Amino acid sequence: MRPVDLTPAEIADQLARMYNADLGQSDDIPSPAERTALADYLGCHEEARAAAWLAWTAELNPLDWDQAEYWLDVEFIEPCPEH
């Protein structure tokens, strides 16, 4: 999986998969490499993160938005490395 090649909807699907795995609601656990690649990409590309979040909220229950956004911004995304 190359995050740069994914659409916002495909990224949202990956986020949902990883979120559900983190909550113990799925056995479809991503590899550390998949997780790191997506987290790094979203951490360095705010516009991709915003588009993926918008696509993901269309699928989420609005009552779960705060928890999911906290997970995305604090627990999942890594800050963009300084070059």
Side-chain angles (χ1 to χ4, degrees):
M1 170 189 69
R2 287 179 19 110
V4 70
D5 295 333
L6 300 177
T7 67
E10 290 169 331
I11 292 173
D13 289 343
Q14 291 300 314
L15 290 173
R17 175 179 156 240
M18 293 175 190
Y19 180 67
N20 288 328
D22 280 5
L23 293 179
Q25 298 175 352
S26 171
D27 292 334
D28 187 9
I29 299 171
S31 72
E34 283 180 296
R35 186 181 179 97
T36 299
L38 188 56
D40 287 348
Y41 176 73
L42 294 177
C44 291
H45 297 88
E46 178 61 29
E47 67 288 346
R49 181 241 172 259
W53 172 248
L54 185 62
W56 192 19
T57 58
E59 302 298 321
L60 280 172
N61 179 332
L63 297 175
D64 295 330
W65 287 357
D66 288 341
Q67 181 180 350
E69 189 169 30
Y70 177 86
W71 172 86
L72 178 62
D73 290 340
V74 176
E75 297 176 17
F76 182 73
I77 291 181
E78 298 293 327
C80 191
E82 298 290 327
H83 296 297

